[in-house]
Amino acid sequence: MAITIALDAMGGDYGPQVVVPAALSVLLEIKDVTLILVGDHKSIYDLVIANKGVLNERLVIQHASQKVEMDELPSQALRSKKDSSMRVAINLIKSGKADACVSAGNTGALMATARFVLKTLPGIDRPAIVSTLPTVLGHCYVLDLGANVDSSAENLYQFALMGSVLASAIDNVPNPRVGLLNIGTELIKGNDQIKKAGQMLARSRLNYIGFVEGDDIYKGNTDVVVCDGFVGNVALKSSEGVARLVKHFLKESFNSNLLTKLMGFLTLPVLNKFRKKMDPRRYNGANLIGLNGVVIKSHGGADIMAFAHAIHIAIIETQKDVPKHISTHLEPWLTEGQVN
Amino acid sequence: MAITIALDAMGGDYGPQVVVPAALSVLLEIKDVTLILVGDHKSIYDLVIANKGVLNERLVIQHASQKVEMDELPSQALRSKKDSSMRVAINLIKSGKADACVSAGNTGALMATARFVLKTLPGIDRPAIVSTLPTVLGHCYVLDLGANVDSSAENLYQFALMGSVLASAIDNVPNPRVGLLNIGTELIKGNDQIKKAGQMLARSRLNYIGFVEGDDIYKGNTDVVVCDGFVGNVALKSSEGVARLVKHFLKESFNSNLLTKLMGFLTLPVLNKFRKKMDPRRYNGANLIGLNGVVIKSHGGADIMAFAHAIHIAIIETQKDVPKHISTHLEPWLTEGQVN
């Protein structure tokens, strides 16, 4: 199956400087894929040449005259950036010329544009941002990571359904364990939305395991963790903060004197193996799920390796046809969990 | 200044097994403090003797016939456990026989009971749970960590005021930097409560630095991070989860073969120093702030060292007279940030 992925070449902190070499590295690894670099033709062309790449049927440039800024308001981008690299890349999915798109650009604008152009799947009110996070045993899908604040019980229920279908399609888990993120059982057990969503999930056909807490994300005891976007975003960023703090303390401990520095040098292979396990680039590429099409959001500060990883995710999700899985699985399920 | 602290000896996963030896260790370190062990007289007495302790004017037992279970509903505990170790310990503050109390018991019940017996300070609608978290440069106060869900803008504003007074009183920071926890600036910038609280804080006399994200908690760029209790609890638990995951991966990396095991052994002093930095026991003891009295919540699973740390926090907060600081600072401030 030949796959075509549109890449927003101007998005992210580094734009084509990262996107072009990442695209070239993916083309070396995967044969039956075509990549469309969308953005300023000259900048992209120069970088393709500088990186010893060749334009052919597998690597194409699609010119776009505008660029969405990282701090631009989504509504502004939607209204006045109709020829942005982001918008053109998403249009390529709509017109059937691409199967998926990857962007490291402004998340709010990407979500608004993708929703406007592609529309949500039947039965889905709001798309969500979903990504995998590492666990003791592998990984876990967490959604929503920041697309929606003040999610209703119905939204949370839809996130759970989409997450379950995704985990099942991508990882071949037959019956993914779904947990609803809540606060400690000995505390006030969540707000009304959480309680109602819990009731809906308990009645559904999903493998709902009940409330989970923040630390359960990393324990490997659940395949999908469902939460409101505000909460999910804070959980994600806090986790990144702790991981960075740990790295800082570890470095500080090894750097305290000559002897400990020597020890650090000797244990470098072990520490590198550890670093690789914790490398956030290995988890780059969040899915904007719930749309008529595969849209992958890369971290804005992604480097070449990280952006290439996001392209790989787009390829896998296209191969597995995640949106179709969601629509076919969703329709009969969407009504059954409703609480009157 | 002689200080008296009431200890809920029956609370937590280990009850007097942890509380009694922790109390004895604190008495060895600090001279002018009296500790009242509240709970079942016989169990406590036997453990004092077994741990080679002596009952005297500095170590007293106050019998209480009941115990609040860890999974008991707060309303239930409030109604039917009027002679619980927790309730009696809090009553000792109310009657002036103790300056503060420490409990590792059921958080919801502790909050409900403390609020019922001690009442909130004038101008404070809801107490909050506040604790320090480690940063690159020291620590940061984060509140609320789980006492309140669905906090209003006014609640968040009051949390900010209390956190600022606390950081100022305990750490002698003249003008603590206060940040409001929000989601990525490139995303939808928070919900209505956050936006309104941000406006109120911008108009206040506090050193408000604006919105911060989850990873800012650990960066050392803010002294106080303010958030809703649901969000704060998830951030805290997620952070604990990541820290545990890192420990797991590090152990795994060093245990992979004989050579790496040897390296792990050689670098033990460095790794131990690192572990000490990350040791959650060094951060045990959360403050139930906003009450007429100092109430410290220890982690339910706290060991002797961790519980002793919570007692130390109670002593420091009593010495600094945090509740009084809050009331004197708060009254003129509470109205000025109101947005009509």
Side-chain angles (χ1 to χ4, degrees):
Chain A
M1 170 173 133
I3 289 172
T4 303
I5 314 280
L7 307 178
D8 169 8
M10 312 311 281
D13 300 342
Y14 310 109
Q17 303 269 9
V18 154
V19 176
V20 170
L24 293 171
S25 82
V26 169
L27 289 175
L28 283 179
E29 279 177 69
I30 300 180
K31 293 292 156 229
D32 51 353
V33 66
T34 294
L35 299 179
I36 307 177
L37 294 160
V38 185
D40 180 62
H41 195 289
K42 180 161 178 359
S43 315
I44 297 172
Y45 182 79
D46 290 351
L47 278 161
V48 169
I49 301 306
N51 284 281
K52 302 186 180 14
V54 183
L55 292 174
N56 53 26
E57 73 283 358
R58 295 184 56 216
L59 186 65
V60 182
I61 299 175
Q62 167 82 48
H63 181 68
S65 64
Q66 291 176 306
K67 183 192 156 185
V68 175
E69 301 301 327
M70 290 305 265
D71 56 356
E72 199 161 349
L73 280 178
S75 53
Q76 170 89 11
L78 204 55
R79 209 168 43 235
S80 64
K81 295 283 175 81
K82 290 186 182 159
D83 197 39
S84 70
S85 54
M86 184 187 278
R87 178 76 167 258
V88 173
I90 295 171
N91 285 341
L92 288 172
I93 304 179
K94 174 82 177 167
S95 64
K97 284 178 191 144
D99 300 298
C101 100
V102 182
S103 173
N106 182 327
T107 311
L110 182 65
M111 181 56 93
T113 309
R115 200 176 163 176
F116 178 78
V117 174
L118 301 174
K119 312 291 180 228
T120 53
L121 291 167
I124 297 297
D125 297 319
R126 297 194 204 170
I129 299 177
V130 53
S131 186
T132 55
L133 286 175
T135 72
V136 172
L137 301 168
H139 62 248
C140 163
Y141 291 84
V142 185
L143 74 168
D144 173 33
L145 291 174
N148 308 281
V149 295
D150 297 325
S151 304
S152 67
E154 286 73 19
N155 294 144
L156 293 169
Y157 180 68
Q158 291 171 12
F159 298 165
L161 289 167
M162 293 194 287
S164 176
V165 172
L166 183 67
S168 170
I170 301 288
D171 297 335
N172 299 316
V173 185
N175 213 5
R177 294 159 299 175
V178 177
L180 191 57
L181 193 59
N182 201 344
I183 61 176
T185 46
E186 81 278 13
L187 302 176
I188 310 138
K189 288 182 200 150
N191 50 32
D192 292 343
Q193 301 90 285
I194 299 281
K195 285 175 200 159
K196 192 178 166 197
Q199 289 166 15
M200 291 168 75
L201 287 168
R203 293 184 196 188
S204 75
R205 270 189 258 172
L206 294 180
N207 183 9
Y208 175 58
I209 60 164
F211 294 144
V212 296
E213 294 188 58
D215 51 339
D216 288 308
I217 297 171
Y218 303 97
K219 279 185 187 164
N221 55 12
T222 168
D223 301 302
V224 180
V225 171
V226 175
C227 54
D228 169 59
F230 193 104
V231 174
N233 190 271
V234 169
L236 180 72
K237 296 267 171 72
S238 305
S239 298
E240 286 174 2
V242 172
R244 234 173 279 138
L245 182 73
V246 166
K247 207 172 149 184
H248 171 84
F249 281 160
L250 198 59
K251 212 171 154 185
E252 201 182 64
S253 302
F254 276 111
N255 276 345
S256 60
N257 61 48
L258 256 178
L259 184 67
T260 57
K261 269 186 195 165
L262 179 68
M263 283 174 179
F265 181 74
L266 287 173
T267 50
L268 216 55
V270 183
L271 293 177
N272 281 341
K273 197 180 154 193
F274 165 69
R275 266 189 211 116
K276 208 177 151 186
K277 273 254 184 197
M278 294 299 297
D279 191 346
R281 297 180 298 176
R282 294 178 64 234
Y283 297 92
N284 186 44
N287 192 339
L288 270 54
I289 201 168
L291 297 161
N292 278 304
V294 173
V295 179
I296 302 297
K297 163 77 176 97
S298 158
H299 198 288
D303 65 7
I304 296 167
M305 177 187 152
F307 196 86
H309 190 264
I311 302 175
H312 279 291
I313 291 189
I315 294 170
I316 293 169
E317 300 216 354
T318 305
Q319 282 168 336
K320 302 274 185 171
D321 204 352
V322 171
K324 197 179 148 218
H325 268 283
I326 294 179
S327 354
T328 49
H329 280 79
L330 240 55
E331 238 167 316
W333 288 7
L334 275 168
T335 46
E336 74 192 19
Q338 304 292 344
V339 173
N340 299 311
Chain B
M1 174 172 129
I3 288 172
T4 303
I5 313 280
L7 307 178
D8 169 9
M10 314 310 283
D13 299 343
Y14 311 109
Q17 304 268 7
V18 155
V19 177
V20 171
L24 293 171
S25 81
V26 170
L27 289 176
L28 284 179
E29 279 178 71
I30 300 180
K31 293 292 158 225
D32 54 352
V33 65
T34 295
L35 299 179
I36 307 178
L37 295 160
V38 186
D40 180 61
H41 196 290
K42 183 165 178 353
S43 316
I44 298 173
Y45 182 78
D46 289 351
L47 279 160
V48 170
I49 301 306
N51 284 281
K52 302 190 185 3
V54 183
L55 293 175
N56 53 27
E57 72 283 358
R58 295 184 56 216
L59 186 65
V60 182
I61 299 175
Q62 168 84 48
H63 181 68
S65 64
Q66 291 177 306
K67 185 193 155 185
V68 175
E69 300 301 328
M70 291 305 266
D71 56 356
E72 200 163 346
L73 280 176
S75 54
Q76 169 91 11
L78 204 54
R79 210 168 42 236
S80 64
K81 295 282 175 82
K82 288 185 182 159
D83 197 40
S84 71
S85 53
M86 182 187 279
R87 178 76 168 260
V88 172
I90 295 171
N91 284 342
L92 288 172
I93 305 179
K94 174 83 178 166
S95 64
K97 286 178 190 143
D99 299 298
C101 99
V102 182
S103 174
N106 180 324
T107 311
L110 183 66
M111 180 56 93
T113 308
R115 200 174 163 179
F116 178 77
V117 173
L118 301 174
K119 312 292 181 230
T120 53
L121 291 167
I124 297 297
D125 296 321
R126 296 193 203 173
I129 299 177
V130 53
S131 188
T132 54
L133 286 176
T135 72
V136 172
L137 301 168
H139 62 247
C140 164
Y141 292 83
V142 185
L143 74 170
D144 174 32
L145 291 173
N148 309 283
V149 295
D150 296 325
S151 305
S152 67
E154 286 73 18
N155 294 145
L156 293 169
Y157 180 67
Q158 293 172 11
F159 299 166
L161 289 168
M162 294 194 287
S164 176
V165 172
L166 184 68
S168 172
I170 301 288
D171 296 337
N172 300 316
V173 186
N175 215 4
R177 295 159 297 175
V178 177
L180 191 56
L181 193 59
N182 202 344
I183 61 176
T185 46
E186 81 276 15
L187 302 176
I188 310 138
K189 286 183 204 149
N191 50 32
D192 293 342
Q193 299 92 283
I194 298 282
K195 285 174 200 159
K196 192 177 166 199
Q199 289 167 16
M200 292 169 75
L201 287 168
R203 293 184 195 187
S204 76
R205 269 189 258 173
L206 294 181
N207 183 8
Y208 176 60
I209 60 164
F211 293 145
V212 295
E213 295 188 58
D215 50 342
D216 288 308
I217 296 172
Y218 302 97
K219 278 185 188 163
N221 56 11
T222 167
D223 301 303
V224 181
V225 171
V226 175
C227 55
D228 170 58
F230 193 104
V231 174
N233 190 271
V234 168
L236 179 72
K237 296 268 171 72
S238 306
S239 298
E240 287 174 1
V242 173
R244 233 172 280 141
L245 182 72
V246 167
K247 208 172 148 183
H248 171 85
F249 280 159
L250 198 59
K251 211 170 154 185
E252 200 181 66
S253 303
F254 276 111
N255 276 345
S256 60
N257 61 49
L258 256 177
L259 184 68
T260 57
K261 269 186 196 167
L262 179 68
M263 283 174 176
F265 181 74
L266 286 173
T267 50
L268 216 55
V270 182
L271 293 176
N272 281 342
K273 195 180 155 194
F274 165 70
R275 265 189 212 118
K276 208 176 152 188
K277 273 254 186 198
M278 295 298 295
D279 191 346
R281 296 180 299 176
R282 293 179 64 235
Y283 298 92
N284 187 46
N287 193 339
L288 269 55
I289 202 169
L291 297 162
N292 278 304
V294 173
V295 180
I296 303 297
K297 164 75 175 101
S298 158
H299 198 287
D303 64 8
I304 296 167
M305 176 187 152
F307 196 87
H309 190 265
I311 301 175
H312 280 292
I313 291 188
I315 294 171
I316 294 167
E317 300 216 356
T318 304
Q319 282 169 338
K320 303 274 187 174
D321 204 352
V322 171
K324 199 183 146 213
H325 269 282
I326 295 178
S327 353
T328 51
H329 280 79
L330 239 53
E331 239 169 315
W333 288 6
L334 275 168
T335 46
E336 74 192 15
Q338 305 292 345
V339 172
N340 300 310

